[in-house]
Amino acid sequence: MTDAAEALLLTTAMDWGLHLTTQQLAQFAAYAAALVRWNEHTNLTTITQREAIYVRHFLDSLALAPHLGRKPTSLVDLGSGAGFPGLPLKLVYPELTLLLVDSVGKKTAFLQHVVAHLGLEGVRVVTGRAEELGHDPGERERHSLVTARAVADLRVLVEYAMPLLHLGGRLIAPKGRDAAHEADAAAVALAQLGGSLNAIVPVQLPGLDPRALIVIEKISPTPSRYPRPNGIPVRRPLK
Ligand code: SAH
């Protein structure tokens, strides 16, 4: 039986070319239930009503799917929190190799739990800061896709993300209605870090204000001094 929240997920995803199977719907249901259960003792999200979880977390995450390229193979989700947008994308692209990163251990404990609970393979969960990951030789300039929702202003986000991307890789950042303004303000940072604004794509979710995805492409190598040490990108954004 599908309920109203599942029906909305199913039909909206279909509009975006995603055909969810019964098994995938069951995984989303198990994810939502785990999120509500854990949220009783761990502060993971302020969105706890079932339909809101489906729209503001699941669909808002899946809105990135059409922009990941034809056959996405690997993705890094920075500041993933309770797994958004990374985990819903993994549920619709099971072959995706996923790296979920968050600096807060309580969040990554939940992520570990839900990855095991849903029986997902090819997912790594790292407790750490983006500023450090960007200097890890195993991660730097190794990735083709980075996502980050509600983590930082774009100027800051590009300093976190660009070092991780190889040339031609993409950062996709969901933003609110001020996306164009944020993109303008990030122009200098982008130039310094080797990124280029590719597109600002409007996104409409059922019943919500218009949102946008900022798509940035890596066009030249990131100088080795970036990202700067922990906390500096936020305190002194490039400008
Ligand atoms: N992406 C999730 C969570 C947003 S809250 C969502 O959209 O629902 C922002 C998260 O980013 C928090 O969990 C915080 O711990 C994490 N975060 C912020 N700055 C970070 C950094 N520099 N490195 C790693 N994680 C960071």
Side-chain angles (χ1 to χ4, degrees):
M1 267 304 274
T2 52
D3 66 9
E6 286 179 319
L8 194 59
L9 180 67
L10 206 57
T11 54
T12 310
M14 204 174 304
D15 288 344
W16 297 334
L18 299 167
H19 299 271
L20 303 185
T21 63
T22 310
Q23 193 211 343
Q24 285 167 327
L25 275 181
Q27 286 183 311
F28 278 107
Y31 187 2
L35 185 57
V36 170
R37 210 165 47 241
W38 272 59
N39 212 47
E40 285 166 10
H41 56 81
T42 303
N43 185 16
L44 295 167
T45 178
T46 54
I47 296 165
T48 52
Q49 198 247 336
R50 190 175 150 79
E51 189 147 330
I53 291 175
Y54 273 68
V55 175
R56 293 173 186 264
H57 284 325
F58 296 165
L59 279 173
D60 197 45
S61 298
L62 294 186
L64 278 71
H67 307 283
L68 300 183
R70 223 163 48 84
K71 248 192 158 264
T73 53
S74 90
L75 187 148
V76 183
D77 190 26
L78 291 177
S80 191
F84 308 113
L87 272 181
L89 292 167
K90 170 71 181 173
L91 294 186
V92 299
Y93 295 122
E95 67 286 0
L96 201 63
T97 300
L98 181 64
L99 174 56
L100 301 172
V101 183
D102 204 286
S103 54
V104 175
K106 281 183 188 169
K107 310 248 172 134
T108 51
F110 171 72
L111 292 172
Q112 297 279 16
H113 164 76
V114 87
V115 165
H117 186 58
L118 299 180
L120 302 178
E121 286 174 7
V123 183
R124 275 191 298 152
V125 178
V126 168
T127 308
R129 294 196 59 98
E131 295 94 318
E132 289 167 4
L133 198 72
H135 288 290
D136 180 336
E139 310 293 349
R140 189 178 177 93
E141 310 219 301
R142 297 272 174 143
H143 299 277
S144 55
L145 285 168
V146 174
T147 57
R149 186 183 79 160
V151 175
D153 187 87
L154 190 68
R155 285 184 299 174
V156 177
L157 210 51
V158 291
E159 187 165 349
Y160 294 161
M162 285 303 126
L164 296 167
L165 290 170
H166 58 59
L167 290 183
R170 268 187 219 175
L171 163 67
I172 306 181
K175 290 288 178 184
R177 51 172 68 250
D178 56 349
H181 177 74
E182 268 196 64
D184 278 350
V188 172
L190 271 177
Q192 291 185 53
L193 294 160
S196 164
L197 179 65
N198 189 294
I200 299 178
V201 187
V203 169
Q204 186 64 61
L205 292 167
L208 300 190
D209 286 343
R211 294 172 53 73
L213 302 177
I214 299 183
V215 182
I216 284 165
E217 196 180 327
K218 174 123 167 198
I219 54 166
S220 55
T222 303
S224 58
R225 65 181 176 280
Y226 299 117
R228 291 168 293 164
N230 288 350
I232 302 292
V234 170
R235 281 205 297 280
R236 288 195 279 119
L238 295 171
K239 55 178 193 273

